[in-house]
Amino acid sequence: MIFLKKRTEIALVGIGGQGIILIGKILGDAAIIEGKNAVQTTEYTDAVRGGFSKSEVIISEAEIKYPEVLEPDLVLALSKQAYDMYKDKDCLLIYDS
């Protein structure tokens, strides 16, 4: 199970307006409430709706020294573009077109 690891890397990717950034913030906050270390980073285009949007969350029992996802354990892809970016990664990929 991916959530039993000492460090879990999650990538949430889709289109602006789908709540990607909000989901990342909620995951990070929930991890902190549970006593874990967490960091959340975002990347998005200048378009409010319809542009690329990504939120990365790292949850760890140890100190997080590098705040970006290198090898995701879980990817939530909410667009075809997002799916294409991660389809060859060795991770749990949840895709909703």
Side-chain angles (χ1 to χ4, degrees):
M1 193 76 183
I2 63 171
F3 295 105
L4 297 178
K5 295 173 60 177
K6 291 188 184 262
R7 177 184 169 107
T8 302
E9 298 186 3
I10 303 168
L12 310 161
V13 191
I15 297 170
Q18 291 179 311
I20 296 292
I21 307 301
L22 179 60
I23 294 168
K25 288 182 178 187
I26 291 170
L27 279 173
D29 288 347
I32 290 169
I33 290 170
E34 289 295 315
K36 308 283 187 199
N37 294 306
V39 63
Q40 185 254 346
T41 58
T42 60
E43 178 183 338
Y44 49 88
T45 61
D46 58 352
V48 175
R49 298 219 182 264
F52 177 78
S53 179
K54 177 167 76 170
S55 179
E56 295 183 337
V57 181
I58 299 173
I59 300 169
S60 177
E61 293 180 8
E63 179 181 350
I64 299 170
K65 296 182 180 180
Y66 187 73
E68 292 186 24
V69 170
L70 298 175
E71 296 181 23
D73 299 296
L74 169 67
V75 174
L76 173 63
L78 298 180
S79 69
K80 177 76 167 107
Q81 176 190 13
Y83 172 78
D84 290 341
M85 288 174 60
Y86 290 95
K87 67 182 179 184
D88 296 325
K89 298 282 186 183
D90 184 25
C91 65
L92 174 61
L93 174 62
I94 301 169
Y95 173 54
D96 184 356
S97 60

